[in-house]
Amino acid sequence: MTENNATPPESAATTGPESPDAPLHRRGIKSYVIRAGRMTPAQTRGLEDVWPRLGLSLEDGPQDLQALFGRRAPCVVEIGFGMGTSLIEQAKAHPDTDFIGIEVHAPGVGKLLDEADKHGLTNLRVYREDALRVLEECLPEGAIDTVQLFFPDPWPKKKHHKRRIVQPAFVELIRTRLAPNGVFHMATDWEAYAEWMAEVMEAAPGYENTADADTAPFVPRPSFRPLTKFEARGEKLGHGVWDLIYRRAD
């Protein structure tokens, strides 16, 4: 079970004939599907009232992060933030860091925006877009200090593995957006997907694993990653969670 509502188990992904040189978002495989869901009044308020201040779209084009936030500060990008609990906690705990969340699920985006407004957060911006397009078209190269991917859909069936977001081309795109020594932090509750992530990352050029030799390729759960209710519930049931943190090394 995963917490990321942007990538539910049922697939409506499409395939197509795009060449390997085409942008990632046009190669025909999607790692998510958009589900219809009921909107609470608070979520609707977030989308209608808070979005004009904190929302971003592809039409805004390439971003100048210093101009976007009105300051020069470390920047963290979280891909597929689900209902936004972890991202809100991080933005509250680290006011000197700027955060950009990317999610396609409307209730999650609405909830995050509503919570951000209630807490008066000014260090958070949100895309309701395909993460691949945001990375390719909007986020500057070499400017992101941390990219987070927490509990993406594992697509456990072998025939669906091509829909997993962690693929060689994707991690190379992440690398180009990371600042020197920037990190790519992943977490999953599926051991087989954790092993897949490690295999892809170990083969990817320009990265180094931050894990100690006694725990490699994984790192102990970092204290700075908020523990969600979902994860706490899983821990009580004996479910494992695997964290991987790789640093841009080139």
Side-chain angles (χ1 to χ4, degrees):
M1 181 176 182
T2 59
E3 186 175 29
N4 181 352
N5 290 320
T7 53
E10 293 86 8
S11 169
T14 58
T15 58
E18 293 286 0
S19 75
D21 295 327
L24 284 176
H25 70 270
R26 289 174 48 207
R27 293 186 191 170
I29 300 295
K30 289 188 181 296
S31 61
Y32 66 89
V33 293
I34 299 177
R35 294 183 299 176
R38 291 184 177 181
M39 299 285 293
T40 68
Q43 292 165 355
T44 300
R45 189 187 83 84
L47 288 176
E48 294 181 353
D49 297 343
V50 187
W51 177 266
R53 288 190 289 109
L54 302 183
L56 299 170
S57 68
L58 297 175
E59 287 70 25
D60 295 326
Q63 294 291 343
D64 178 328
L65 299 182
Q66 185 173 354
L68 177 64
F69 290 98
R71 64 178 182 176
R72 186 181 298 276
C75 184
V76 175
V77 173
E78 182 163 335
I79 296 172
F81 56 75
M83 298 306 288
T85 303
S86 170
L87 193 52
I88 287 291
E89 289 189 30
Q90 292 177 78
K92 288 168 55 182
H94 303 284
D96 294 331
T97 298
D98 294 326
F99 293 85
I100 297 175
I102 308 172
E103 175 61 69
V104 295
H105 190 48
V109 174
K111 183 176 186 298
L112 179 90
L113 290 169
D114 181 64
E115 290 293 320
D117 185 59
K118 288 178 178 176
H119 292 287
L121 299 178
T122 60
N123 61 333
L124 177 62
R125 299 292 186 274
V126 182
Y127 280 96
R128 188 187 171 196
E129 305 280 3
D130 179 348
L132 296 179
R133 294 198 64 182
V134 173
L135 289 166
E136 290 176 335
E137 301 175 23
C138 302
L139 299 184
E141 295 187 10
I144 308 301
D145 293 273
T146 301
V147 174
Q148 299 177 163
L149 179 69
F150 297 156
F151 305 102
D153 195 295
W155 296 105
K157 294 182 180 180
K158 187 173 182 180
K159 66 180 180 180
H160 292 156
H161 285 183
K162 63 184 178 182
R163 295 179 181 139
R164 289 175 169 175
I165 192 170
V166 179
Q167 304 282 353
F170 172 72
V171 302
E172 170 59 17
L173 176 60
I174 294 291
R175 187 192 65 80
T176 66
R177 269 49 187 174
L178 287 174
N181 296 314
V183 299
F184 181 25
H185 181 185
M186 294 164 281
T188 179
D189 57 325
W190 283 73
E191 185 173 11
Y193 196 16
E195 293 170 349
W196 169 287
M197 290 173 168
E199 182 178 348
V200 171
M201 294 303 300
E202 291 297 322
Y207 282 101
E208 63 180 12
N209 195 337
T210 67
D212 294 333
D214 56 342
T215 64
F218 308 112
V219 299
R221 183 189 174 281
S223 60
F224 56 80
R225 179 171 67 75
L227 181 67
T228 65
K229 292 180 181 179
F230 160 82
E231 188 177 352
R233 213 165 42 236
E235 284 188 352
K236 291 180 180 179
L237 295 172
H239 298 169
V241 172
W242 292 265
D243 283 80
L244 302 95
I245 301 179
Y246 284 77
R247 180 181 293 112
R248 178 173 177 173
D250 61 345

